[in-house]
Amino acid sequence: MTVRRDFQESARCRPDLVIGREELFADARGQLSSGGSVLLHGPAGIGKSTALRALAEEYGATARTVLRCSATESESHLPFLALADLLGLVLDEVSPRLPAAQRTALESALTGRGESSLQRDGLALRLAVLSALRALAADGPVLVVADDLQWLDPASAELLGFAARRLEGTPVQLLCAVRTEGQESQEYDRQLRACPPGTLAVRLGPLTRAQVAQLLDHRGHGGLPRSTVREIHRTSGGNPLFALELGRALADSPTPPRPGEPLPVPTSLRALVLNRLDMLSVQARRTLLVASAGARPTPALLHAAGRENAEAECAQAAELGLLATEPDAPAVRFAHPLISAALYAEAPAHERRAAHAALSTAASDPIERARHLALATTGTDPEVAARLAGAAALARDRGAPSVAAQLGLLAARHTPADGSPGPEERRLAAAEDAITAGEVDLARDIAREVLTRASVPADRVRAWIIVIDTAGHTMAEVDAVFPQALADAGDDPRLLALVHYQLAWRALIVEGDFTEARQAAAHAAELAARGQDRRTELLALAFQAQTETLMGHPEAPRTIKRALREPQDPRVAWHHNGAGSARFRWLVMGDQLAEARATVTALLREVRRHGSVESEVHFLRGLAETELRAGHCGRALDLARDSLRLARDSGIGETASAMLTSLAEASGGDVDRALALAREAVQHAEEDGDQMYLSRALGALGYAQLVAGDPAGTVRSLRRVRSLELGLGITDPARGRWHGDLAEALVRTGEAAEAQDVIDASREHALRLGRESVLAVLDRSEALVRAARGDREAAVAQLTSAQDRLGKLGYGLEEARAAFALARLRGRGSGAAAFDEAGRMFRRCRALPWLRQVEDTLAAPEPDRVPERPEAPAALEVLAAMERQVAALVMEGATNREIAARLFISVKTVEATLTRVYRKLGIRSRVDIVRLAAARRAR
């Protein structure tokens, strides 16, 4: 497959260069920085040349000499052409430094004068190239950049390989790229052997769907629906060149592809992949067209579709590289998905319909038969539409909502305008399936299209609800929809219930008003009950229950029971906004971790069976949160990362998943990544005007800052959370569990009085609601306040009690944090075993950031112990308690860092406290404190 040069663009200032390649680029940069060589390899269009140019531009600036060559297939028969590209411009510089025989052979080869050849001047030429590179290296580093090594003329390839194998010890590096079709490619092995010893081979593989979406966005094609991006990824096989060409063709096309049809393949790509198609027989080409139209073509299916010689024709195609050769595999598989798409796009419309007509009777699966029948039929046909609607329902039951959406759109297209159900009703069903599949862009586009034509109030309200649903947590952007939806609903209680349920969400997300949200949900439940819409009634009751739970409202348990009463709607039972989700939230906030885990695991299993992407993202977060509470940090981190990956891939729940993943990273992963994710979540929540998740994101940021050793940052973030939750009406401290972290950070910054105020206010609500784990964490924080005030004995007793209670409740990480605080309070001299115990507990939790804190504490120098009751000089009696403790430790010779470790405060707090001490005592330095003490004792 030859890549045309007009596809290749400058690497300068290209933000998409490292999309999906960050780790590979880091490896290549490390190798080049250390003086090594790099060989990039991978299939055509995968981005080797782009990466090569970027690396050459970056590292060429550090070399004295850069030698370049870029071979092409059409010139590969010309001997010494690549060598001339490499050395032609430096020939005059190096010729005088070569032995006569080598100089003559090299000049003859490069200039074409004389009869030089490898057969005639083999040794002299080989030595000449090696000597030339060594001569250039004597004056400074040399970088050899060679692209498309597979097209190097054999003579140049032999000479370059000979020299490369003998350049060890000289400042000559090779940066090369070669096309390979597989990890074990013979071409790759041959080229690697021709590189210097220790060359790093870097294989560029396909991009993920999310990376393809990011690439398209960077290149100006970001407006494509996610379902289309998914199809681009599938058709391109993750190849960035193919994906960009497909994206460009779709962006330029006035009409998108119809549902169920492959993407239109631009002529530029057809030429790339179909240059061998003319070598096929007419019958083999028709057989491949039938295979390209099928979902899972097999020889048996092709036979059933009338292709009698399918095996022989497929073997012919395999010999030409159009089909993959897999003897043990029953399926007929194209060598690349793009070949199938290009073949289909190349075929005339009547031939495509004929292929689908043959498959509509040959396929065994009813969904496939219905799809092929639709694509073989033109115009409306009620029988075809009914079969497609039935196939959509079957796909929905199988947990394939994306397929159901495509079939639903096909059904709508073949439904007559006066049909029952009508085309608009079927389009709306397809839009709802698209939402379930996470294809919110497609759903929104369908709903908007319906609104331009529909006049039936039920259809219009249903379309408005889809528009609101697809806005997610950016509901402020669709504020204008609500008055129109209410107007279309009229006085119909069923339709009004739908709108008021969405108004409840708006009150929570946009206004941040839990009281209004609860009232709107209760009103929606009443309207739905009056209109006998059990599904909406259950959703409204579940929402009311969740709101009451977060508010700490006494009605929450009763509302949950109402939401769980029979009859239940199966679509609500497993939904992320259903009663099961509300019950899970109640359990996890009420310290019933084992039951919460079982509940959310069952819900996650069910939503995966139904293919509901948004619910899967939601319950992955719920399970990750439960594991985090239980101290299973490694498991929680894996689940959180899965949730974030799926959220970013679908565009659903990204803020919430980033927030939860930040908590998991800070507990069991990378603290810097935790900080970055928390700040991302805060930014998105602020941009979306999402008050509910802004407080959660700030809570995650405060926790990450605490783990990172930035208590002042923690105080700033969590003070904002406290203010926000007071405004929102959230009183249950089990909702965000930030209260203990804020109190601990306040102690570390020397603000023990405010810390105690936070503890007292939070304890009142925790006692009212019976939040035992919250009470234990608050006791742990209060022990730190007591330690900071000098009451060590009471602090030790309170920490010991808190640790024991947290362990019994199953909060492994919080238990380990209490053990660590206890070890620090006792110090290494009297409690070395306590540090070992804390380390063991953090290790059991896989809480790596906390384990590193234990190790850092043990590695720090141990300050001298302060006497239990130091005799403070009278002059120090004017100081506050914290100031006296700091001054007393200064008298013992402790450094600021040692004082911070002993008193659980930051170094900055120590410095600020000392400044106040100097001002009160009228002195200038810590030396003066020691002098005051000495003078007092001398009397």
Side-chain angles (χ1 to χ4, degrees):
M1 192 184 299
T2 303
V3 180
R4 284 168 34 194
R5 291 293 168 186
D6 58 356
F7 288 141
Q8 300 179 4
E9 304 177 27
S10 170
R12 187 180 298 277
C13 299
R14 286 271 303 281
D16 51 281
L17 281 177
V18 295
I19 290 175
R21 314 292 194 203
E22 292 84 355
E23 187 175 342
L24 297 179
F25 261 65
D27 292 343
R29 287 188 176 109
Q31 176 77 354
L32 291 168
S33 297
S34 65
S37 297
V38 172
L39 175 67
L40 305 172
H41 67 106
I46 205 68
K48 301 180 301 297
S49 296
T50 303
L52 184 85
R53 287 194 296 273
L55 290 167
E57 184 176 339
E58 184 174 342
Y59 287 92
T62 65
R64 180 186 179 276
T65 306
V66 179
L67 308 176
R68 301 175 185 270
C69 72
S70 183
T72 62
E73 184 178 14
S74 61
E75 298 170 342
S76 60
H77 65 287
L78 300 173
F80 303 122
L81 184 61
L83 187 65
D85 287 342
L86 286 172
L87 298 178
L89 296 178
V90 296
L91 181 61
D92 292 340
E93 180 182 347
V94 299
S95 286
R97 301 157 70 176
L98 301 180
Q102 294 179 22
R103 181 169 62 250
T104 301
L106 185 60
E107 288 177 350
S108 177
L110 297 186
T111 62
R113 294 190 293 271
E115 298 295 330
S116 182
S117 69
L118 279 177
Q119 286 75 27
R120 176 177 174 179
D121 302 313
L123 181 59
L125 267 174
R126 289 175 173 84
L127 293 175
V129 173
L130 178 60
S131 299
L133 291 173
R134 284 174 172 167
L136 292 169
D139 299 329
V142 177
L143 179 65
V144 178
V145 182
D147 196 5
D148 283 321
L149 288 183
Q150 74 277 2
W151 302 134
L152 251 64
D153 62 275
S156 296
E158 165 61 25
L159 293 170
L160 186 59
F162 176 87
R165 291 190 296 271
R166 291 163 175 80
L167 286 170
E168 193 169 2
T170 63
V172 178
Q173 296 173 263
L174 268 66
L175 175 58
C176 307
V178 63
R179 180 180 306 173
T180 57
E181 295 304 326
Q183 184 70 42
E184 305 301 326
S185 167
Q186 293 181 353
E187 181 67 20
Y188 156 69
D189 289 336
R190 183 173 70 83
Q191 296 295 347
L192 187 59
R193 285 195 299 271
C195 290
T199 294
L200 174 68
V202 177
R203 177 168 178 79
L204 276 68
L207 302 180
T208 65
R209 191 199 317 179
Q211 290 162 352
V212 165
Q214 190 180 357
L215 176 65
L216 291 168
D217 185 53
H218 275 307
R219 301 301 292 277
H221 308 311
L224 295 170
R226 290 183 184 273
S227 55
T228 303
V229 173
R230 183 190 62 202
E231 192 62 21
I232 288 175
H233 176 259
R234 188 196 66 78
T235 303
S236 68
N239 185 298
L241 169 67
F242 299 165
L244 286 172
E245 286 299 301
L246 289 168
R248 183 178 296 137
L250 283 166
D252 294 341
S253 174
T255 56
R258 295 191 302 178
E261 290 188 348
L263 296 178
V265 181
T267 305
S268 57
L269 287 184
R270 293 187 204 180
L272 282 177
V273 299
L274 298 180
N275 54 2
R276 288 156 289 183
L277 200 61
D278 292 338
M279 301 173 68
L280 283 174
S281 66
V282 173
Q283 293 302 318
R285 185 165 178 161
R286 287 177 180 169
T287 295
L288 288 194
L289 175 61
V290 175
S292 72
R296 293 174 298 277
T298 62
L301 178 65
L302 295 175
H303 274 294
R307 309 311 303 165
E308 297 177 356
N309 299 315
E311 285 89 349
E313 289 159 356
C314 286
Q316 182 187 1
E319 289 177 5
L320 294 172
L322 295 167
L323 294 179
T325 54
E326 298 179 1
D328 299 330
V332 175
R333 190 171 68 84
F334 284 88
H336 192 282
L338 188 63
I339 296 175
S340 173
L343 181 66
Y344 187 92
E346 189 81 2
H350 70 276
E351 290 187 10
R352 294 188 211 171
R353 287 196 296 273
H356 286 296
L359 288 167
S360 69
T361 58
S364 59
D365 185 82
I367 292 176
E368 276 300 291
R369 288 200 302 271
R371 184 178 76 88
H372 289 302
L373 179 61
L375 294 173
T377 306
T378 57
T380 59
D381 186 321
E383 184 179 345
V384 172
R387 283 185 61 181
L388 285 164
L394 181 58
R396 196 177 300 123
D397 291 342
R398 289 182 181 177
S402 180
V403 175
Q406 288 189 10
L407 292 167
L409 289 174
L410 286 170
R413 196 177 86 199
H414 290 287
T415 301
D418 59 350
S420 180
E424 306 309 336
E425 190 173 345
R426 282 178 166 153
R427 285 190 180 90
L428 291 169
E432 289 163 352
D433 285 325
I435 290 178
T436 302
E439 298 173 5
V440 292
D441 295 336
L442 175 61
R444 181 171 50 248
D445 291 345
I446 295 170
R448 293 286 189 189
E449 182 184 352
V450 168
L451 285 166
T452 62
R453 293 192 298 263
S455 57
V456 177
D459 288 346
R460 291 189 61 80
V461 171
R462 193 173 167 190
W464 287 126
I465 297 303
I466 291 170
V467 171
I468 295 168
D469 268 343
T470 57
H473 282 256
T474 60
M475 292 186 81
E477 297 178 2
V478 293
D479 258 357
V481 165
F482 288 98
Q484 299 176 74
L486 286 168
D488 283 328
D491 57 0
D492 186 329
R494 289 176 65 93
L495 301 181
L496 285 170
L498 292 171
V499 182
H500 280 277
Y501 173 66
Q502 295 294 341
L503 283 168
W505 278 104
R506 183 192 176 280
L508 183 63
I509 293 172
V510 180
E511 302 297 334
D513 191 329
F514 274 71
T515 301
E516 183 183 342
R518 174 180 177 270
Q519 292 170 350
H523 184 46
E526 291 171 8
L527 287 166
R530 201 186 319 157
Q532 298 183 337
D533 179 358
R534 183 60 174 164
R535 179 174 184 271
T536 302
E537 181 186 6
L538 290 170
L539 285 170
L541 285 170
F543 179 83
Q544 181 183 342
Q546 292 234 37
T547 307
E548 290 171 349
T549 298
L550 296 174
M551 294 171 69
H553 198 284
E555 287 294 316
R558 280 189 286 273
T559 307
I560 291 174
K561 287 181 181 178
R562 287 179 62 199
L564 289 169
R565 283 178 193 156
E566 297 294 339
Q568 287 290 312
D569 186 310
R571 294 171 296 171
V572 177
W574 48 262
H575 195 273
H576 61 280
N577 289 328
S581 181
R583 181 171 178 271
F584 159 73
R585 180 54 50 194
W586 174 259
L587 290 169
V588 82
M589 291 177 68
D591 300 328
Q592 300 179 59
L593 296 183
E595 194 172 352
R597 182 187 293 108
T599 299
V600 75
T601 300
L603 288 167
L604 182 58
R605 188 185 308 117
E606 194 66 16
V607 299
R608 281 174 167 165
R609 189 173 75 81
H610 286 86
S612 176
V613 174
E614 184 172 7
S615 292
E616 182 177 358
V617 171
H618 181 89
F619 290 131
L620 275 171
R621 285 199 306 269
L623 184 53
E625 180 185 353
T626 307
E627 298 293 1
L628 198 58
R629 298 282 173 238
H632 305 151
C633 299
R635 170 77 172 142
L637 183 57
D638 290 341
L639 289 163
R641 286 173 174 171
D642 287 346
S643 168
L644 182 59
R645 193 178 303 115
L646 185 57
R648 286 185 166 159
D649 194 24
S650 62
I652 295 173
E654 291 182 80
T655 300
S657 293
M659 176 275 298
L660 197 280
T661 308
S662 171
L663 290 172
E665 290 282 359
S667 297
D670 182 275
V671 179
D672 289 336
R673 178 161 171 74
L675 290 166
L677 285 169
R679 290 185 176 114
E680 174 191 326
V682 168
Q683 180 183 349
H684 287 172
E686 288 177 332
E687 290 172 352
D688 295 344
D690 186 344
Q691 297 298 303
M692 184 172 65
Y693 268 110
L694 178 57
S695 66
R696 297 293 305 275
L698 284 167
L701 178 58
Y703 174 66
Q705 288 167 325
L706 184 68
V707 179
D710 179 17
T714 298
V715 169
R716 286 193 301 272
S717 298
L718 298 187
R719 275 176 176 162
R720 284 188 67 190
V721 177
R722 190 183 190 193
S723 175
L724 279 167
E725 293 201 352
L726 283 172
L728 291 168
I730 297 173
T731 60
D732 192 336
R735 187 247 184 179
R737 297 179 182 267
W738 49 265
H739 312 74
D741 292 337
L742 175 56
E744 182 174 335
L746 286 165
V747 171
R748 293 191 188 184
T749 55
E751 297 165 275
E754 185 181 347
Q756 189 63 56
D757 177 64
V758 170
I759 292 166
D760 291 343
S762 306
R763 182 178 281 138
E764 179 183 348
H765 294 296
L767 284 168
R768 175 175 60 85
L769 297 166
R771 303 305 192 212
E772 293 298 328
S773 63
V774 174
L775 289 168
V777 168
L778 292 173
D779 280 355
R780 184 186 69 202
S781 301
E782 189 172 52
L784 302 181
V785 174
R786 287 180 168 173
R789 290 173 171 170
D791 193 353
R792 290 167 49 82
E793 185 176 340
V796 167
Q798 195 168 18
L799 276 172
T800 303
S801 170
Q803 178 184 340
D804 180 62
R805 287 150 56 205
L806 288 166
K808 289 177 180 177
L809 288 167
Y811 283 77
L813 180 58
E814 299 293 357
E815 178 192 9
R817 286 180 61 181
F820 183 34
L822 191 57
R824 293 177 68 183
L825 186 59
R826 286 172 170 164
R828 275 176 287 170
S830 59
F835 281 102
D836 292 340
E837 175 69 4
R840 183 187 64 77
M841 294 171 72
F842 283 134
R843 199 172 290 108
R844 183 183 63 198
C845 293
R846 283 188 58 192
L848 302 182
W850 287 103
L851 181 60
R852 281 191 286 272
Q853 288 195 30
V854 175
E855 293 168 348
D856 291 345
T857 303
L858 290 172
E862 173 77 2
D864 294 334
R865 283 190 58 79
V866 180
E868 288 298 320
R869 306 184 67 84
E871 184 181 342
L876 302 189
E877 293 174 1
V878 299
L879 303 179
M882 174 68 77
E883 294 165 351
R884 284 199 301 272
Q885 289 184 79
V886 170
L889 286 168
V890 168
M891 293 177 209
E892 297 299 319
T895 65
N896 286 3
R897 185 172 297 278
E898 291 166 347
I899 295 170
R902 285 296 305 275
L903 298 181
F904 297 95
I905 60 178
S906 67
V907 174
K908 287 185 178 179
T909 301
V910 174
E911 293 168 351
T913 304
L914 281 174
T915 300
R916 293 195 299 271
V917 169
Y918 301 155
R919 185 173 61 249
K920 288 183 178 181
L921 299 182
I923 58 179
R924 295 184 178 181
S925 70
R926 58 193 296 134
V927 175
D928 292 332
I929 296 177
V930 178
R931 287 173 178 165
L932 275 174
R936 181 69 178 171
R937 292 191 187 103
R939 297 194 192 104

